[in-house]
Amino acid sequence: MTTVALSEPRKSGHLLRNIGFAALPALILLWSLADLTLGRELVEWLPYLASGFLMNVVISLSAMTLGTVVGTIFGILQLMPYRPVRYPVVAYVQAFRNAPHLVLIFATTYIFPFEIVVFGNYLPFPDWLKAVIGLAIPASAYVAEITRGAILSIPTTQWEAAKGLGFSRSQALRWIILPQCLRRSLPPWMNILASITMGTSLASLVGVHELLHAATDASTAVRRLDFTIIAYIVVMAAFFTLCYPIARLTRRLERRFNAGSRI
């Protein structure tokens, strides 16, 4: 009876999540069918909205890639025994882990030039790339802390066994410690990915053509209150569709890791 009692709330939870997942697209469809002129306007603007959403995906993936590379290096450097190396990295992590994303995006937008000179050629420095750097900075600080914590969570016997097998400290870190850290770091890393993905909408405030910026352009051009409302519902539905699977996969990985650690 206990198994049945536990399975019923789990099934109801899955049902509620599925209903929530389909609620926004269903609302958009029903609203568009109720007013065909509204639906026609929405269909005409959908490619423009989709191009903006593609920019959100590009910014989030680029920021997380850059932040992961830098953060992994900084996480390792935080454990170095040399204070001139460790202290600046720790200061960087503590400062930018608590910095607002919007402030960093504005800072990178106005600090970096609008174009750079490479071998006498002037190359544009687009605003979306500055937004990538602005979001990669806090991502790298979070990833650095995740990497540091994952390395410290590995038992010291692993290091001692690697040393006994003739591995140097760098070889043990590369071939034995970091592969184990990957499994432990993946769930919190995906949480950061979801946070950075939602933060890409802030790039609209510095003129980047992304989904929120595209929805604002569309509502300004159409000048209908009902279209403005449905355009921002589309924005919410798009971000929900992108972030919800990340959240579900994160919870699944956390359950799998916790089950493995109990064994």
Side-chain angles (χ1 to χ4, degrees):
M1 290 187 62
T2 305
T3 305
V4 175
L6 290 175
S7 62
E8 289 180 355
R10 186 175 299 177
K11 290 180 180 179
S12 62
H14 284 301
L15 180 61
L16 291 175
R17 284 192 291 267
N18 292 333
I19 292 175
F21 189 74
L24 286 177
L27 176 62
I28 295 170
L29 179 61
L30 291 175
W31 199 340
S32 301
L33 292 176
D35 188 345
L36 294 180
T37 59
L38 177 63
R40 192 179 306 114
E41 292 282 1
L42 181 61
V43 169
E44 290 179 358
W45 282 97
L46 274 180
Y48 187 71
L49 297 174
S51 65
F53 188 55
L54 180 61
M55 179 57 69
N56 288 95
V57 176
V58 170
I59 292 175
S60 64
L61 294 180
S62 301
M64 279 305 300
T65 301
L66 180 60
T68 300
V69 173
V70 176
T72 302
I73 296 173
F74 282 6
I76 297 172
L77 292 178
Q78 286 188 96
L79 301 175
M80 295 289 287
Y82 310 109
R83 292 181 180 179
V85 175
R86 186 174 72 250
Y87 283 178
V89 175
V90 172
Y92 172 92
V93 171
Q94 295 302 319
F96 292 116
R97 191 175 56 153
N98 302 304
H101 295 180
L102 180 59
V103 173
L104 293 174
I105 290 175
F106 269 106
T108 53
T109 299
Y110 294 107
I111 289 175
F112 290 103
F114 292 99
E115 54 186 14
I116 56 177
V117 182
V118 180
F119 300 112
N121 298 317
Y122 288 87
L123 301 178
F125 201 140
D127 289 334
W128 71 267
L129 189 55
K130 298 175 185 178
V132 167
I133 298 174
L135 290 173
I137 292 174
S140 65
Y142 286 121
V143 172
E145 280 295 281
I146 291 172
T147 304
R148 183 186 67 85
I151 293 175
L152 292 177
S153 69
I154 303 298
T156 55
T157 53
Q158 298 280 339
W159 293 95
E160 295 170 357
K163 184 178 180 180
L165 292 172
F167 287 93
S168 65
R169 189 169 182 84
S170 60
Q171 289 174 333
L173 179 66
R174 179 179 179 183
W175 299 110
I176 298 175
I177 304 301
L178 286 181
Q180 298 180 69
C181 293
L182 177 63
R183 181 188 175 192
R184 300 170 185 240
S185 303
L186 194 56
W189 182 90
M190 296 187 70
N191 281 328
I192 298 173
L193 174 61
S195 176
I196 294 298
T197 300
M198 291 184 288
T200 57
S201 60
L202 299 173
S204 64
L205 299 177
V206 293
V208 177
H209 171 68
E210 49 78 56
L211 181 58
L212 186 60
H213 190 275
T216 303
D217 289 343
S219 63
T220 302
V222 176
R223 294 184 180 180
R224 287 181 55 175
L225 178 60
D226 52 357
F227 180 83
T228 299
I229 295 173
I230 199 171
Y232 287 111
I233 292 177
V234 169
V235 172
M236 290 190 296
F239 277 104
F240 180 79
T241 303
L242 184 60
C243 294
Y244 179 75
I246 297 175
R248 293 291 300 155
L249 182 58
T250 302
R251 294 185 63 183
R252 182 175 299 179
L253 291 172
E254 288 175 345
R255 287 196 299 267
R256 182 177 299 179
F257 173 71
N258 291 333
S261 62
R262 286 194 297 268
I263 295 175

